[in-house]
Coordinates of all heavy atoms in Angstrom, one line a residue:
M1 N 140.1 122.6 78.9 CA 140.5 122.3 77.5 C 141.9 122.8 77.1 O 142.6 122.2 76.4 CB 139.5 123.0 76.6 CG 139.8 122.8 75.1 SD 138.5 123.5 74.1 CE 137.9 122.2 73.2
G2 N 142.3 123.9 77.8 CA 143.7 124.4 77.6 C 144.7 123.3 77.9 O 145.8 123.3 77.3
R3 N 144.5 122.6 79.0 CA 145.5 121.6 79.4 C 145.7 120.5 78.3 O 146.7 120.1 78.0 CB 145.1 121.0 80.7 CG 146.1 120.0 81.2 CD 145.7 119.3 82.5 NE 146.5 118.3 82.8 CZ 147.1 118.0 83.9 NH1 146.9 118.8 84.9 NH2 147.9 117.0 84.1
K4 N 144.6 120.0 77.8 CA 144.6 119.0 76.7 C 145.4 119.5 75.6 O 146.2 118.8 75.0 CB 143.2 118.5 76.3 CG 142.5 117.6 77.2 CD 141.3 117.1 76.6 CE 140.5 116.2 77.4 NZ 139.2 115.8 76.9
H5 N 145.1 120.7 75.2 CA 145.8 121.3 74.1 C 147.3 121.4 74.3 O 148.1 121.0 73.4 CB 145.2 122.7 73.8 CG 145.9 123.4 72.6 ND1 145.8 123.0 71.3 CD2 146.8 124.4 72.6 CE1 146.5 123.8 70.5 NE2 147.1 124.6 71.3
S6 N 147.7 121.8 75.5 CA 149.1 121.9 75.8 C 149.8 120.6 75.8 O 151.0 120.5 75.4 CB 149.3 122.7 77.0 OG 148.8 121.9 78.1
V7 N 149.1 119.6 76.3 CA 149.7 118.2 76.3 C 150.0 117.7 74.8 O 151.0 117.2 74.5 CB 148.9 117.2 77.0 CG1 149.3 115.8 76.8 CG2 148.8 117.5 78.5
W8 N 149.0 117.9 74.0 CA 149.1 117.5 72.6 C 150.2 118.3 71.9 O 151.0 117.7 71.1 CB 147.8 117.6 71.9 CG 146.9 116.5 72.1 CD1 145.7 116.5 72.9 CD2 147.0 115.1 71.9 NE1 145.1 115.3 73.0 CE2 145.9 114.4 72.4 CE3 147.9 114.4 71.2 CZ2 145.7 113.0 72.2 CZ3 147.8 113.0 71.0 CH2 146.7 112.3 71.5
A9 N 150.2 119.5 72.2 CA 151.2 120.3 71.5 C 152.6 119.9 72.0 O 153.5 119.8 71.2 CB 151.0 121.9 71.9
G10 N 152.8 119.5 73.2 CA 154.1 119.1 73.7 C 154.4 117.8 73.0 O 155.6 117.6 72.6
L11 N 153.5 116.9 72.9 CA 153.8 115.6 72.2 C 154.2 115.8 70.7 O 155.1 115.2 70.2 CB 152.6 114.7 72.2 CG 152.3 114.1 73.6 CD1 151.0 113.3 73.6 CD2 153.5 113.2 74.1
L12 N 153.5 116.7 70.0 CA 153.9 117.0 68.7 C 155.2 117.6 68.5 O 155.9 117.5 67.5 CB 152.8 117.9 68.0 CG 151.4 117.2 67.9 CD1 150.4 118.2 67.4 CD2 151.5 116.1 67.0
M13 N 155.7 118.3 69.5 CA 157.0 119.0 69.4 C 158.2 118.2 69.9 O 159.3 118.7 70.0 CB 156.9 120.4 70.1 CG 155.9 121.3 69.4 SD 155.5 122.8 70.2 CE 156.8 123.2 71.2
L14 N 157.9 116.9 70.4 CA 159.0 116.2 71.0 C 160.0 115.9 69.9 O 159.7 115.4 68.8 CB 158.5 114.8 71.5 CG 157.7 114.8 72.8 CD1 157.2 113.5 73.2 CD2 158.6 115.3 74.0
P15 N 161.3 116.2 70.2 CA 162.3 115.9 69.2 C 162.7 114.4 69.1 O 162.6 113.7 70.1 CB 163.5 116.6 69.7 CG 163.4 116.8 71.1 CD 161.9 116.9 71.4
L16 N 163.0 113.9 68.0 CA 163.4 112.6 67.8 C 164.9 112.5 68.0 O 165.7 113.2 67.4 CB 163.1 112.0 66.4 CG 161.6 111.9 66.1 CD1 161.4 111.4 64.6 CD2 160.9 110.9 67.0
S17 N 165.4 111.6 68.9 CA 166.7 111.4 69.2 C 167.3 110.5 68.1 O 166.6 109.7 67.5 CB 167.0 110.8 70.6 OG 166.6 109.5 70.6
S18 N 168.7 110.5 68.0 CA 169.3 109.6 67.0 C 169.2 108.2 67.4 O 169.3 107.3 66.5 CB 170.8 110.0 66.9 OG 171.4 109.8 68.2
G19 N 168.8 107.9 68.6 CA 168.6 106.5 69.0 C 167.1 106.0 69.0 O 166.9 105.0 69.5
A20 N 166.3 106.8 68.5 CA 164.9 106.5 68.5 C 164.7 105.3 67.5 O 165.3 105.2 66.5 CB 164.1 107.7 68.0
L21 N 163.7 104.5 67.9 CA 163.4 103.3 67.1 C 162.5 103.8 66.0 O 161.6 104.6 66.2 CB 162.6 102.3 68.0 CG 163.4 101.6 69.1 CD1 162.5 100.8 69.9 CD2 164.6 100.8 68.5
P22 N 162.7 103.2 64.8 CA 161.8 103.6 63.7 C 160.4 103.0 63.9 O 160.2 102.0 64.5 CB 162.4 102.9 62.5 CG 163.3 101.8 63.1 CD 163.7 102.2 64.4
I23 N 159.4 103.8 63.5 CA 158.0 103.4 63.7 C 157.5 102.8 62.4 O 157.7 103.4 61.3 CB 157.1 104.6 64.1 CG1 157.6 105.1 65.4 CG2 155.7 104.2 64.1 CD1 156.9 106.4 65.8
K24 N 157.0 101.6 62.4 CA 156.5 100.9 61.2 C 155.3 101.7 60.7 O 154.4 101.9 61.5 CB 156.2 99.5 61.4 CG 155.6 98.8 60.2 CD 155.2 97.3 60.5 CE 154.8 96.6 59.3 NZ 153.7 97.1 58.6
Q25 N 155.3 102.0 59.5 CA 154.1 102.6 58.9 C 153.0 101.7 58.8 O 153.3 100.4 58.6 CB 154.5 103.1 57.4 CG 153.4 103.9 56.8 CD 153.9 104.4 55.4 OE1 154.9 104.1 54.9 NE2 153.0 105.2 54.7
A26 N 151.8 102.1 59.0 CA 150.6 101.1 58.9 C 150.6 100.5 57.5 O 150.7 101.2 56.6 CB 149.4 101.9 59.2
D27 N 150.3 99.2 57.6 CA 150.1 98.5 56.3 C 148.8 98.9 55.6 O 147.9 99.5 56.3 CB 150.2 97.0 56.5 CG 149.0 96.5 57.3 OD1 148.5 97.2 58.1 OD2 148.7 95.3 57.2
Q28 N 148.8 98.8 54.3 CA 147.6 99.2 53.6 C 147.4 98.4 52.3 O 148.3 98.3 51.5 CB 147.7 100.7 53.3 CG 146.5 101.2 52.5 CD 145.2 101.4 53.4 OE1 145.3 101.8 54.5 NE2 144.1 101.0 52.8
A29 N 146.3 97.7 52.3 CA 146.0 97.0 51.0 C 145.2 98.0 50.2 O 144.2 98.5 50.6 CB 145.1 95.7 51.3
V30 N 145.7 98.2 49.0 CA 145.2 99.3 48.1 C 144.6 98.7 46.9 O 145.3 97.9 46.1 CB 146.2 100.3 47.8 CG1 145.7 101.4 46.9 CG2 146.8 100.9 49.1
G31 N 143.4 99.0 46.5 CA 142.8 98.5 45.2 C 142.2 97.2 45.3 O 142.0 96.6 46.4
F32 N 141.7 96.7 44.2 CA 141.0 95.4 44.0 C 142.0 94.3 44.1 O 143.2 94.5 43.8 CB 140.3 95.4 42.6 CG 139.2 94.4 42.5 CD1 138.2 94.4 43.4 CD2 139.3 93.5 41.5 CE1 137.2 93.5 43.2 CE2 138.3 92.6 41.3 CZ 137.2 92.5 42.2
Y33 N 141.6 93.1 44.5 CA 142.5 92.0 44.7 C 143.3 91.6 43.5 O 144.4 91.1 43.5 CB 141.8 90.8 45.3 CG 140.9 90.1 44.3 CD1 141.3 89.0 43.5 CD2 139.5 90.4 44.1 CE1 140.5 88.4 42.6 CE2 138.7 89.8 43.1 CZ 139.2 88.8 42.5 OH 138.4 88.2 41.5
S34 N 142.7 91.9 42.3 CA 143.4 91.6 41.1 C 144.0 92.8 40.3 O 144.5 92.7 39.3 CB 142.4 90.8 40.1 OG 141.3 91.6 39.8
K35 N 143.9 93.9 41.0 CA 144.5 95.1 40.4 C 144.8 96.1 41.5 O 144.1 97.1 41.7 CB 143.5 95.8 39.4 CG 144.1 96.9 38.6 CD 143.2 97.3 37.5 CE 143.9 98.3 36.6 NZ 143.3 98.6 35.4
G36 N 145.8 95.8 42.3 CA 146.1 96.6 43.5 C 147.5 96.4 43.9 O 148.4 95.9 43.2
H37 N 147.8 96.9 45.2 CA 149.2 96.8 45.7 C 149.1 96.8 47.2 O 148.1 97.0 47.8 CB 150.2 97.9 45.2 CG 149.9 99.2 45.5 ND1 148.8 100.0 44.9 CD2 150.3 100.0 46.6 CE1 148.8 101.2 45.5 NE2 149.7 101.2 46.5
L38 N 150.2 96.6 47.8 CA 150.4 96.6 49.3 C 151.4 97.5 49.7 O 152.6 97.6 49.2 CB 150.8 95.1 49.7 CG 151.2 94.8 51.1 CD1 149.9 95.0 52.0 CD2 151.7 93.4 51.3
E39 N 151.1 98.3 50.7 CA 152.0 99.3 51.3 C 152.4 98.9 52.7 O 151.5 98.6 53.5 CB 151.4 100.7 51.3 CG 151.1 101.3 49.9 CD 150.5 102.6 49.9 OE1 150.2 103.2 51.1 OE2 150.1 103.1 48.8
S40 N 153.7 98.8 52.9 CA 154.3 98.5 54.3 C 153.7 97.1 54.8 O 153.4 97.0 56.0 CB 153.9 99.6 55.3 OG 154.4 100.8 54.9
G41 N 153.8 96.1 54.0 CA 153.4 94.8 54.4 C 154.3 94.1 55.4 O 155.4 94.5 55.5
A42 N 153.6 93.2 56.1 CA 154.4 92.4 57.1 C 155.0 91.2 56.4 O 154.5 90.7 55.3 CB 153.5 92.0 58.2
V43 N 156.0 90.6 56.9 CA 156.7 89.4 56.3 C 156.3 88.2 57.1 O 156.4 88.2 58.4 CB 158.2 89.6 56.4 CG1 158.9 88.3 55.9 CG2 158.6 90.8 55.5
L44 N 155.8 87.1 56.4 CA 155.5 85.9 57.0 C 156.8 85.1 57.1 O 157.6 85.0 56.1 CB 154.5 85.1 56.2 CG 154.2 83.7 56.8 CD1 153.3 83.8 58.0 CD2 153.6 82.8 55.7
P45 N 157.2 84.7 58.3 CA 158.5 83.9 58.4 C 158.5 82.7 57.6 O 157.4 82.2 57.2 CB 158.6 83.5 59.9 CG 157.6 84.5 60.6 CD 156.6 84.8 59.6
V46 N 159.6 82.2 57.2 CA 159.7 81.0 56.4 C 159.1 79.8 57.1 O 158.5 78.9 56.4 CB 161.2 80.7 56.0 CG1 161.4 79.4 55.3 CG2 161.7 81.9 55.2
D47 N 159.2 79.7 58.4 CA 158.5 78.7 59.1 C 158.3 79.1 60.5 O 158.9 80.1 61.0 CB 159.3 77.3 59.1 CG 160.6 77.4 59.8 OD1 161.0 78.4 60.2 OD2 161.3 76.3 59.9
G48 N 157.4 78.4 61.2 CA 157.1 78.8 62.6 C 156.3 77.7 63.2 O 156.0 76.6 62.5
P49 N 155.7 77.8 64.4 CA 155.0 76.8 65.0 C 153.7 76.4 64.2 O 152.9 77.2 64.0 CB 154.5 77.4 66.3 CG 155.5 78.5 66.6 CD 155.9 79.0 65.2
G50 N 153.8 75.2 63.6 CA 152.6 74.8 62.9 C 152.6 75.1 61.4 O 151.6 74.8 60.7
F51 N 153.6 75.8 60.9 CA 153.5 76.2 59.4 C 154.9 76.2 58.8 O 155.9 76.3 59.5 CB 152.7 77.5 59.2 CG 153.6 78.7 59.6 CD1 154.4 79.4 58.6 CD2 153.7 79.2 60.8 CE1 155.1 80.4 59.0 CE2 154.4 80.3 61.2 CZ 155.1 80.9 60.3
V52 N 154.8 76.1 57.5 CA 156.1 76.2 56.7 C 155.7 77.0 55.4 O 154.7 76.7 54.8 CB 156.8 74.9 56.4 CG1 155.8 73.9 55.6 CG2 158.1 75.0 55.7
K53 N 156.6 77.9 55.0 CA 156.3 78.6 53.7 C 156.9 77.8 52.6 O 158.1 77.3 52.6 CB 157.1 80.0 53.9 CG 157.0 80.9 52.6 CD 155.6 81.4 52.4 CE 155.5 82.3 51.2 NZ 155.4 81.5 49.9
L54 N 156.1 77.6 51.5 CA 156.6 76.9 50.4 C 157.1 77.9 49.3 O 156.8 79.2 49.4 CB 155.4 76.2 49.7 CG 154.7 75.1 50.6 CD1 153.5 74.5 49.9 CD2 155.7 74.0 51.0
F55 N 157.8 77.5 48.4 CA 158.2 78.4 47.2 C 159.0 79.6 47.8 O 158.8 80.7 47.3 CB 157.1 78.8 46.3 CG 156.1 77.8 46.0 CD1 154.8 77.8 46.4 CD2 156.5 76.6 45.3 CE1 153.9 76.8 46.1 CE2 155.6 75.6 45.1 CZ 154.2 75.7 45.5
V56 N 159.9 79.3 48.7 CA 160.6 80.4 49.3 C 161.4 81.3 48.3 O 161.5 82.5 48.5 CB 161.6 79.9 50.4 CG1 162.5 80.9 51.0 CG2 160.8 79.2 51.6
A57 N 161.9 80.7 47.3 CA 162.7 81.5 46.3 C 161.9 82.6 45.6 O 162.4 83.6 45.2 CB 163.3 80.5 45.2
R58 N 160.6 82.4 45.6 CA 159.7 83.5 45.0 C 159.6 84.7 45.8 O 159.3 85.8 45.3 CB 158.3 82.9 44.8 CG 158.2 81.8 43.8 CD 156.8 81.4 43.6 NE 156.6 80.2 42.9 CZ 155.5 79.5 42.7 NH1 154.4 80.0 43.4 NH2 155.4 78.4 42.0
Q59 N 159.9 84.7 47.1 CA 159.8 85.8 48.0 C 158.4 86.5 48.0 O 158.3 87.7 48.0 CB 160.9 86.8 47.6 CG 162.3 86.3 47.8 CD 163.4 87.2 47.6 OE1 163.1 88.4 47.5 NE2 164.6 86.8 47.6
R60 N 157.4 85.7 48.0 CA 156.0 86.1 48.0 C 155.4 85.9 49.4 O 154.5 85.2 49.5 CB 155.2 85.5 46.9 CG 155.7 85.8 45.6 CD 155.0 85.1 44.5 NE 155.4 85.4 43.2 CZ 155.0 84.8 42.0 NH1 154.2 83.8 42.1 NH2 155.5 85.2 40.9
W61 N 156.1 86.5 50.4 CA 155.7 86.2 51.7 C 155.2 87.5 52.4 O 155.2 87.6 53.7 CB 156.8 85.7 52.6 CG 158.2 86.3 52.3 CD1 158.5 87.7 52.4 CD2 159.4 85.7 52.0 NE1 159.8 87.9 52.1 CE2 160.4 86.7 51.9 CE3 159.7 84.4 51.9 CZ2 161.8 86.4 51.5 CZ3 161.1 84.1 51.5 CH2 162.0 85.1 51.4
F62 N 154.8 88.5 51.7 CA 154.3 89.8 52.2 C 152.8 89.8 52.3 O 152.2 89.5 51.3 CB 154.8 91.0 51.4 CG 156.3 91.1 51.4 CD1 157.1 90.4 50.5 CD2 156.9 91.9 52.3 CE1 158.5 90.6 50.4 CE2 158.3 92.0 52.4 CZ 159.1 91.4 51.4
G63 N 152.3 90.2 53.5 CA 150.8 90.4 53.6 C 150.6 91.5 54.6 O 151.4 92.1 55.2
T64 N 149.3 91.7 54.8 CA 148.9 92.8 55.8 C 149.2 92.2 57.2 O 149.3 91.0 57.3 CB 147.4 93.1 55.7 OG1 146.7 91.8 56.0 CG2 147.0 93.6 54.4
D65 N 149.4 93.1 58.1 CA 149.7 92.6 59.5 C 148.6 91.6 60.0 O 148.9 90.6 60.5 CB 149.7 93.8 60.5 CG 150.9 94.8 60.2 OD1 151.9 94.3 59.6 OD2 150.8 95.9 60.6
A66 N 147.3 91.9 59.6 CA 146.3 91.1 60.1 C 146.4 89.7 59.5 O 146.1 88.7 60.1 CB 144.9 91.7 59.7
L67 N 146.6 89.6 58.2 CA 146.8 88.3 57.5 C 147.9 87.5 58.1 O 147.7 86.3 58.4 CB 146.9 88.5 56.0 CG 147.0 87.2 55.3 CD1 145.6 86.5 55.2 CD2 147.6 87.3 54.0
V68 N 149.1 88.1 58.2 CA 150.2 87.4 58.8 C 149.9 86.8 60.2 O 150.2 85.7 60.5 CB 151.5 88.2 58.8 CG1 152.6 87.6 59.5 CG2 151.9 88.5 57.3
A69 N 149.3 87.7 61.1 CA 148.9 87.3 62.4 C 147.9 86.2 62.3 O 148.0 85.2 63.1 CB 148.3 88.5 63.1
L70 N 146.9 86.3 61.5 CA 145.9 85.2 61.3 C 146.6 83.8 60.9 O 146.3 82.8 61.6 CB 144.9 85.6 60.2 CG 143.8 84.5 59.9 CD1 142.8 84.3 61.1 CD2 143.1 84.8 58.7
V71 N 147.5 83.8 60.0 CA 148.1 82.6 59.5 C 148.9 82.0 60.7 O 148.9 80.8 61.0 CB 148.9 82.8 58.3 CG1 149.9 81.6 58.0 CG2 148.1 83.2 57.1
T72 N 149.8 82.8 61.3 CA 150.7 82.3 62.4 C 149.9 81.8 63.6 O 150.2 80.8 64.1 CB 151.7 83.4 62.8 OG1 151.1 84.6 63.2 CG2 152.7 83.7 61.6
E73 N 148.9 82.6 64.0 CA 148.1 82.2 65.1 C 147.2 81.0 64.9 O 147.1 80.1 65.7 CB 147.3 83.4 65.6 CG 148.1 84.5 66.2 CD 147.3 85.8 66.5 OE1 146.0 85.8 66.5 OE2 147.9 86.8 66.7
A74 N 146.7 80.9 63.7 CA 145.9 79.7 63.3 C 146.7 78.5 63.3 O 146.3 77.4 63.8 CB 145.1 80.0 62.0
A75 N 147.8 78.6 62.6 CA 148.8 77.4 62.5 C 149.2 77.0 63.9 O 149.2 75.7 64.1 CB 150.0 77.8 61.6
A76 N 149.6 77.9 64.7 CA 149.9 77.5 66.1 C 148.9 76.8 66.9 O 149.1 75.9 67.6 CB 150.5 78.8 66.9
A77 N 147.7 77.3 66.7 CA 146.5 76.7 67.4 C 146.2 75.4 66.9 O 146.0 74.4 67.7 CB 145.3 77.6 67.2
I78 N 146.3 75.2 65.6 CA 146.1 73.8 65.0 C 147.2 72.9 65.5 O 146.9 71.7 65.8 CB 146.0 73.9 63.5 CG1 144.7 74.6 63.1 CG2 146.1 72.5 62.9 CD1 144.6 75.0 61.6
A79 N 148.4 73.3 65.5 CA 149.5 72.5 66.0 C 149.4 72.1 67.4 O 149.7 71.0 67.8 CB 150.9 73.2 65.7
A80 N 148.8 73.0 68.2 CA 148.7 72.7 69.7 C 147.5 71.6 69.8 O 147.6 70.8 70.7 CB 148.3 74.0 70.4
E81 N 146.5 71.7 69.0 CA 145.4 70.9 69.1 C 145.7 69.4 68.5 O 145.3 68.4 68.9 CB 144.2 71.4 68.3 CG 143.0 70.6 68.4 CD 142.2 70.6 69.7 OE1 142.4 71.6 70.4 OE2 141.5 69.7 70.0
F82 N 146.6 69.4 67.5 CA 147.0 68.2 66.8 C 148.5 68.1 66.7 O 149.0 68.3 65.6 CB 146.3 68.1 65.4 CG 144.9 68.2 65.4 CD1 144.2 69.5 65.1 CD2 144.1 67.1 65.7 CE1 142.8 69.6 65.0 CE2 142.7 67.3 65.6 CZ 142.1 68.5 65.4
P83 N 149.2 67.9 67.8 CA 150.6 68.0 67.8 C 151.3 66.9 66.9 O 152.4 67.2 66.5 CB 151.0 67.7 69.3 CG 149.8 67.2 69.9 CD 148.6 67.6 69.1
Q84 N 150.6 65.8 66.6 CA 151.2 64.8 65.7 C 150.9 65.1 64.2 O 151.3 64.4 63.3 CB 150.8 63.4 66.0 CG 151.1 63.0 67.4 CD 152.6 63.1 67.7 OE1 153.4 62.7 66.9 NE2 153.0 63.7 69.0
G85 N 150.1 66.1 63.9 CA 149.7 66.4 62.6 C 150.7 67.2 61.7 O 151.8 67.6 62.2
E86 N 150.5 67.2 60.5 CA 151.4 68.0 59.6 C 151.3 69.5 59.8 O 150.3 70.0 60.2 CB 151.0 67.6 58.1 CG 151.2 66.2 57.7 CD 152.6 65.8 57.7 OE1 153.5 66.7 57.3 OE2 152.9 64.6 58.0
R87 N 152.3 70.2 59.4 CA 152.3 71.6 59.4 C 151.5 72.2 58.3 O 151.4 71.6 57.2 CB 153.7 72.2 59.4 CG 154.5 71.9 60.6 CD 155.8 72.6 60.6 NE 156.7 72.2 59.5 CZ 157.9 72.8 59.3 NH1 158.3 73.7 60.0 NH2 158.6 72.3 58.3
L88 N 150.9 73.4 58.5 CA 150.1 74.1 57.5 C 151.2 74.5 56.4 O 152.3 75.0 56.8 CB 149.5 75.3 58.1 CG 148.8 76.3 57.1 CD1 147.6 75.7 56.5 CD2 148.4 77.6 57.9
Q89 N 150.9 74.3 55.2 CA 151.9 74.6 54.1 C 151.3 75.9 53.4 O 150.2 75.9 52.8 CB 151.9 73.5 53.1 CG 152.6 72.2 53.7 CD 152.6 71.1 52.8 OE1 152.3 71.3 51.6 NE2 153.0 69.9 53.3
V90 N 152.1 77.0 53.5 CA 151.6 78.3 53.0 C 152.3 78.6 51.7 O 153.5 78.5 51.5 CB 152.0 79.4 54.0 CG1 151.5 80.7 53.5 CG2 151.4 79.1 55.4
G91 N 151.5 78.8 50.6 CA 152.0 79.2 49.3 C 152.2 80.6 49.2 O 152.7 81.3 50.1
D92 N 151.9 81.2 48.1 CA 152.1 82.6 47.8 C 151.1 83.5 48.6 O 150.0 83.2 48.8 CB 152.0 82.9 46.3 CG 153.0 82.2 45.5 OD1 154.1 82.0 46.0 OD2 152.8 82.0 44.3
I93 N 151.7 84.6 49.0 CA 150.8 85.7 49.6 C 151.0 86.8 48.5 O 150.2 86.9 47.6 CB 151.3 86.1 50.9 CG1 151.2 84.9 51.9 CG2 150.3 87.2 51.5 CD1 151.7 85.2 53.3
A94 N 151.9 87.7 48.7 CA 152.2 88.8 47.7 C 153.7 89.1 47.8 O 154.4 88.8 48.7 CB 151.4 90.1 48.1
Q95 N 154.1 89.7 46.7 CA 155.5 90.2 46.7 C 155.7 91.5 47.4 O 154.6 92.1 47.7 CB 156.0 90.3 45.2 CG 155.2 91.4 44.4 CD 155.6 91.4 43.0 OE1 156.4 90.6 42.5 NE2 154.9 92.2 42.2
K96 N 156.9 92.0 47.7 CA 157.0 93.2 48.4 C 156.4 94.3 47.5 O 156.7 94.4 46.4 CB 158.6 93.5 48.5 CG 158.8 94.7 49.4 CD 160.3 94.9 49.7 CE 160.5 96.0 50.6 NZ 161.9 96.2 51.0
G97 N 155.6 95.1 48.1 CA 154.9 96.1 47.5 C 153.6 95.8 46.8 O 152.8 96.6 46.2
G98 N 153.4 94.4 46.7 CA 152.2 93.9 46.0 C 152.3 94.0 44.5 O 153.4 94.1 44.0
G99 N 151.1 94.1 43.9 CA 151.1 94.2 42.4 C 151.0 92.9 41.8 O 151.0 91.8 42.4
Q100 N 150.9 92.9 40.5 CA 150.7 91.7 39.7 C 151.9 90.7 39.8 O 153.1 91.2 39.7 CB 150.5 92.1 38.2 CG 150.1 90.9 37.4 CD 149.6 91.4 36.0 OE1 150.0 92.4 35.5 NE2 148.9 90.6 35.3
I101 N 151.6 89.5 39.9 CA 152.6 88.4 39.9 C 152.3 87.3 39.0 O 151.1 87.1 38.7 CB 153.0 87.9 41.3 CG1 151.6 87.3 42.0 CG2 153.5 89.0 42.3 CD1 151.8 86.6 43.4
T102 N 153.2 86.6 38.5 CA 152.9 85.5 37.7 C 152.2 84.3 38.4 O 152.3 84.2 39.6 CB 154.2 84.8 37.0 OG1 155.1 84.4 38.1 CG2 154.9 85.9 36.1
L103 N 151.4 83.6 37.7 CA 150.8 82.4 38.2 C 149.4 82.7 38.9 O 148.7 81.9 39.4 CB 151.6 81.5 39.1 CG 152.9 81.0 38.5 CD1 153.7 80.2 39.5 CD2 152.6 80.1 37.3
H104 N 149.2 84.0 39.2 CA 148.0 84.5 40.0 C 147.3 85.7 39.3 O 148.0 86.6 39.0 CB 148.4 84.8 41.4 CG 148.9 83.7 42.2 ND1 148.1 82.6 42.7 CD2 150.2 83.4 42.6 CE1 149.0 81.8 43.3 NE2 150.2 82.2 43.3
A105 N 146.0 85.6 39.4 CA 145.2 86.8 39.0 C 145.1 87.7 40.3 O 144.9 89.0 40.2 CB 143.9 86.5 38.4
S106 N 145.1 87.0 41.4 CA 145.0 87.8 42.7 C 146.4 87.9 43.3 O 147.4 88.0 42.6 CB 144.0 87.0 43.6 OG 144.4 85.8 43.9
H107 N 146.4 87.9 44.7 CA 147.6 87.9 45.4 C 148.4 89.3 45.2 O 149.7 89.3 45.1 CB 148.5 86.7 45.2 CG 148.1 85.4 45.6 ND1 148.2 85.0 46.9 CD2 147.3 84.5 45.0 CE1 147.6 83.8 47.0 NE2 147.1 83.5 45.9
Q108 N 147.7 90.4 45.0 CA 148.3 91.6 44.8 C 148.3 92.6 46.0 O 149.1 93.5 46.0 CB 147.6 92.3 43.6 CG 147.8 91.5 42.3 CD 147.3 92.3 41.1 OE1 147.2 93.5 41.1 NE2 147.1 91.6 40.0
T109 N 147.3 92.4 46.9 CA 147.2 93.3 48.0 C 147.6 92.8 49.4 O 147.4 93.5 50.4 CB 145.8 93.8 48.1 OG1 144.8 92.7 48.3 CG2 145.3 94.5 46.8
G110 N 148.1 91.5 49.4 CA 148.5 90.9 50.7 C 147.3 90.5 51.6 O 147.4 90.3 52.7
L111 N 146.2 90.3 50.9 CA 145.0 89.8 51.7 C 144.6 88.4 51.4 O 143.7 87.9 52.0 CB 143.8 90.7 51.3 CG 143.9 92.2 51.7 CD1 142.7 93.0 51.2 CD2 143.9 92.3 53.2
D112 N 145.3 87.7 50.4 CA 144.9 86.3 50.2 C 146.2 85.5 50.2 O 147.3 86.0 49.9 CB 144.2 86.2 48.8 CG 144.8 86.9 47.7 OD1 145.7 87.7 47.9 OD2 144.3 86.6 46.6
V113 N 146.0 84.2 50.6 CA 147.1 83.3 50.8 C 146.7 82.0 50.3 O 145.5 81.6 50.4 CB 147.6 83.3 52.2 CG1 146.5 83.0 53.2 CG2 148.9 82.5 52.4

């Protein structure tokens, strides 16, 4: 048991160098879908394999890591299955930090698209 403790203690005491990469804070959907916010959300790209983001000027492309991964992976899978088909058109997700936005009662926590 002493060895495990010393390994963990060593890891906790490792200094961060000036060249260390920043670690992304875990995303968090907080509150109810119509009264909440989003912490450290991921950004859905404007376009990618099988999808295109609509209403780009609104900048409502923030979602949880899981939601962004779901949309991008599903769109890519559909495009692979139907290469001659149209791309998935993605509307609003959430604004940076989430919270209330115009035109929607929901779309506050980065969990709906």
